[in-house]
Every structure is written in C-alpha cells, then in structure tokens.
Amino acid sequence: MKLLKSGKYHLLNFFGWQIYTFSTLTFSKLSYAKSLTNLSPKQQNALYYTLWEGFLCAILGFVLSYILLLFLETKFNLSHLKRKDWWNLFFVFSLVQVIYHFALWPFLDIPVMYYFGVSNSEEMTLLMKITNVPGFVVAFLIWLSIILSIKIYEYINEVKFNRLELESSLKESQLNSLKGQINPHFMFNSLNNIRGLILENPLKSREMITRLSEMLRYSLTKNDINTIALEEEIEMVENFIEISRIQLENRLKYTPRINTSLLKVEIPPMIIQMLVENAVKHGISKLKDGGEITLDIQNNNETLTIVVSNTGTLSIEKDSTQLGIKNIEKRLQLIYGENATFKLQEIENQVVAEITILFRS
C-alpha cells in the first residue's frame, strides 16, 4: 500500500501528531497550572499560547513527515536494502530535524507576538532552544518506527503472497506435466487392431473407432483441469477395456463394482485409466490364458476407496522406470497432500492397486 495515496493514512497521521504533541507538550505545561478558572488576562494569553504552540508544533511535524515518507516510498526498497540506503535514511532524517528546528521558532513567533508582543529570539536563548531538540527528535523517531513497522509488515505479506503464488504456479506446472496422456503405443496398436477388424466386422470396427476418438477427446479436453466426475473416468475406462479386447478377446475379463452414489465425486482425470492400463499391459497381456480385472469403488464415511486388481503376480522388470506409479503418487500428493494414499501389492495371486482419498467435510 502506498501511504502517500492513502486518505486514511493522511487522517491518522494528522491526528497522531496532534495527540502526541498535546499529550507530551501541551498537557505537561497545563499540569503546572493550579487552576484553569478565574485566570488573569496574562494567564489567559499564556493558556491560549500553550494550546497554539502544541497545535503548530504538531502541524509542522505532520508536514515535514512527508519528506521522510516520500523518501521511504520511492528510495527505500526493503527487498534490496543496502548499507547506503540506511545512511541515506539517516541523512534525510537529520535534514528534516534541521528544517524543523529552524522553522519552528519563526513559526511560533506568530502566536507569541500576538499574545505577548515579543518574539522568541528576544525571550529564548540558544541553549533553551537546543533543550527542545531531543523531545522533537523522539517524536520523529516514533513516527519513523511506526511507518517502518507498517512497511515491514506489508513486505512480509507481499513475500508470503508471492511465495504462495509461486508455489501454486509450480504445483500447477507439476500437475500439468504429470497429467495422464493416452499411451502412444496403445494408440498405435489400437489403430492396427481396428484396421484388421474392418473387413472382418465393419460394425464392430466402427464402434471401436468411436471409442478411440472418445478417449482421445477425453485426454485432450480434460488435460487442463485437475479433477473430473468419477462417471466420466469410468466411461474412459470402459472405452479402454473394449478397445483392449480387440487384441485380447476373451482373455480379458472386466468386472466393475461401483457404488453409484459416488458417480459425481471428483477425482484426478485418467488416474483410474492408468491403473487399468497397467493391469492390462503388465498383467493380463502377459498371461497365456488371460485373467480378470476388477474395479471396486466404494466409500467408508468420508474416505473414497478405489481398488484395481488383476490376475497375476507383482514383478518389476529391470528396465521399468515405474513412471506410471510415480505419476499417480505425485499427482495425489500435489492435489490432496496427506489426505490421499496409494498402495501397490500382491495378495493371493492378485496384483492390487489401492487409492484412498479422504474428503473432509
């Protein structure tokens, strides 16, 4: 926030100087008076002068504080502070003090001449004037401390905001790089299989082309969002299964067990499809007699559980990068943090991939 452009600051600055000056200068002088009633003309003039003195000292401090503020807002950058900047601040602060004390006494001569008919130069010695310097310096130091505190507070908030914005941008960038894409090998094999099916079963091949185009459209349109409805992901999985059956035929069995009340729940796009694709690629396709893939999606209180299991054993090939598994783990961590887990294990000749997501109400 630029204080120079803030009407609220100008108002608070004005009253701040008035309150401080009256409480430290005017009220302290008035406290010496035994009574403020039944005053003689001379005492009344002294009272009026004391009030005007406090007001004018505050006005002068208020006006000159803008010299310091202008420097702080244009030349004093907290993000790139150097020793030279502190020396410049000291110089400007000292300059303001010099201007204040040279301007103060001629300024106060106005009410002095009006009420007493004499000037300060006639009544006050240089030493008397110098004794007033520390009090006014303290007033400017208090003002400077308040302004620097505001500036530091704003700077810390700005740093926090920029850090959050950077983290959000980085997180978004990571998510975009991790989002699922249709495996190009799957696309190539599918097109080859569909081409072989055209003469044998034109109607079936037409259906498979439609499913493949739906998968491609899904991959492209959902790539810019972080979550989609579960029912959309299920449709994607079913398209993948049907296209895979062109090659695997009866060797691939698919059994979905899905709680229909969860179809509107939001999940990361293509995350189930990646699990099913891994089950086909590393499980069913390697078995001579094929096997079964089971998709089980249920909820327990506030926890969504997605389990993809397939016939086979869990074995990691030497040249495997496990990129798909790492992709899933990283995406879950970025979106849900500690509220999501992923496990891959072998249970009784079944490879079981399990995702749990805790949805806090």
Side-chain angles (χ1 to χ4, degrees):
M1 179 180 69
K2 290 290 187 182
L3 295 178
L4 282 171
K5 298 179 180 179
S6 172
K8 185 178 180 181
Y9 164 75
H10 301 318
L11 193 63
L12 290 173
N13 189 33
F14 176 80
F15 284 108
W17 276 100
Q18 294 295 336
I19 291 170
Y20 176 83
T21 307
F22 270 77
S23 62
T24 58
L25 178 64
T26 307
F27 292 157
S28 64
K29 288 187 176 183
L30 292 178
S31 65
Y32 288 105
K34 293 180 180 180
S35 174
L36 296 178
T37 59
N38 301 321
L39 299 175
S40 65
K42 186 176 181 180
Q43 289 174 324
Q44 286 182 353
N45 287 341
L47 172 63
Y48 295 146
Y49 169 76
T50 301
L51 294 174
W52 273 105
E53 179 188 41
F55 177 76
L56 293 175
C57 286
I59 286 292
L60 191 58
F62 168 75
V63 172
L64 292 179
S65 69
Y66 282 92
I67 298 176
L68 273 169
L69 184 61
L70 181 64
F71 171 79
L72 290 172
E73 297 220 322
T74 58
K75 303 297 183 181
F76 199 75
N77 190 341
L78 287 172
S79 60
H80 299 94
L81 275 183
K82 299 177 181 178
R83 183 178 297 179
K84 178 183 177 182
D85 296 318
W86 289 105
W87 281 111
N88 288 339
L89 177 59
F90 175 77
F91 172 77
V92 174
F93 183 86
S94 301
L95 178 63
V96 168
Q97 298 311 302
V98 171
I99 296 173
Y100 185 88
H101 290 95
F102 270 96
L104 177 62
W105 304 111
F107 204 34
L108 291 179
D109 269 346
I110 300 172
V112 169
M113 291 293 294
Y114 181 79
Y115 290 112
F116 303 115
V118 294
S119 69
N120 282 308
S121 59
E122 297 175 9
E123 296 293 322
M124 295 187 69
T125 65
L126 178 62
L127 182 60
M128 293 172 65
K129 293 179 180 180
I130 291 175
T131 56
N132 285 278
V133 171
F136 294 122
V137 170
V138 169
F140 277 94
L141 284 174
I142 292 173
W143 176 90
L144 182 61
S145 299
I146 294 172
I147 299 301
L148 283 178
S149 297
I150 293 172
K151 291 296 181 184
I152 291 171
Y153 175 76
E154 289 178 345
Y155 174 69
I156 291 173
N157 282 342
E158 183 182 353
V159 169
K160 286 181 179 179
F161 176 78
N162 290 339
R163 185 189 301 165
L164 287 174
E165 197 173 49
L166 180 63
E167 288 176 356
S168 176
S169 177
L170 179 61
K171 180 178 177 180
E172 191 68 27
S173 176
Q174 288 177 312
L175 278 172
N176 287 336
S177 66
L178 290 169
K179 282 175 182 174
Q181 301 283 343
I182 295 179
N183 191 314
H185 296 292
F186 169 76
M187 288 285 294
F188 179 75
N189 292 334
S190 298
L191 288 171
N192 272 338
N193 292 331
I194 292 171
R195 184 182 64 176
L197 190 65
I198 289 176
L199 294 177
E200 180 182 334
N201 191 337
L203 189 61
K204 184 71 173 178
S205 62
R206 185 176 179 178
E207 178 190 343
M208 292 302 106
I209 290 173
T210 301
R211 288 184 180 273
L212 187 61
S213 65
E214 284 295 315
M215 287 187 67
L216 184 59
R217 181 185 62 82
Y218 178 91
S219 175
L220 294 174
T221 58
K222 306 303 179 184
N223 200 43
D224 293 331
I225 56 178
N226 292 331
T227 59
I228 46 92
L230 177 62
E231 60 184 344
E232 294 184 70
E233 180 77 355
I234 298 303
E235 184 181 351
M236 173 75 163
V237 169
E238 289 174 350
N239 285 334
F240 176 83
I241 290 292
E242 290 304 317
I243 293 172
S244 298
R245 277 178 173 158
I246 299 175
Q247 180 179 355
L248 298 174
E249 298 180 334
N250 294 332
R251 293 169 58 209
L252 173 59
K253 296 177 182 178
Y254 171 64
T255 305
R257 289 195 286 266
I258 302 167
N259 186 336
T260 55
S261 66
L262 301 173
L263 292 177
K264 299 298 182 182
V265 171
E266 297 281 318
I267 64 168
M270 296 191 73
I271 203 163
I272 299 178
Q273 189 273 336
M274 290 179 70
L275 292 177
V276 173
E277 184 178 339
N278 280 340
V280 172
K281 180 180 177 182
H282 301 292
I284 308 302
S285 65
K286 294 184 179 297
L287 300 175
K288 182 179 179 181
D289 298 326
E292 182 180 10
I293 294 177
T294 302
L295 173 59
D296 192 356
I297 304 177
Q298 305 297 330
N299 71 318
N300 180 16
N301 294 327
E302 295 180 333
T303 303
L304 173 69
T305 304
I306 302 170
V307 179
V308 176
S309 56
N310 63 272
T311 308
T313 58
L314 181 59
S315 60
I316 301 175
E317 300 173 2
K318 291 182 179 181
D319 60 345
S320 174
T321 62
Q322 300 185 53
L323 190 60
I325 294 174
K326 292 177 182 178
N327 183 309
I328 292 170
E329 290 176 333
K330 189 64 176 177
R331 288 171 68 197
L332 289 172
Q333 192 272 327
L334 285 171
I335 297 174
Y336 302 106
E338 296 179 353
N339 294 327
T341 61
F342 173 71
K343 291 190 296 185
L344 182 64
Q345 55 190 329
E346 182 182 331
I347 304 175
E348 298 178 355
N349 295 323
Q350 290 276 318
V351 178
V352 180
E354 180 180 347
I355 293 174
T356 59
I357 301 173
L358 176 63
F359 292 98
R360 297 187 185 274
S361 56

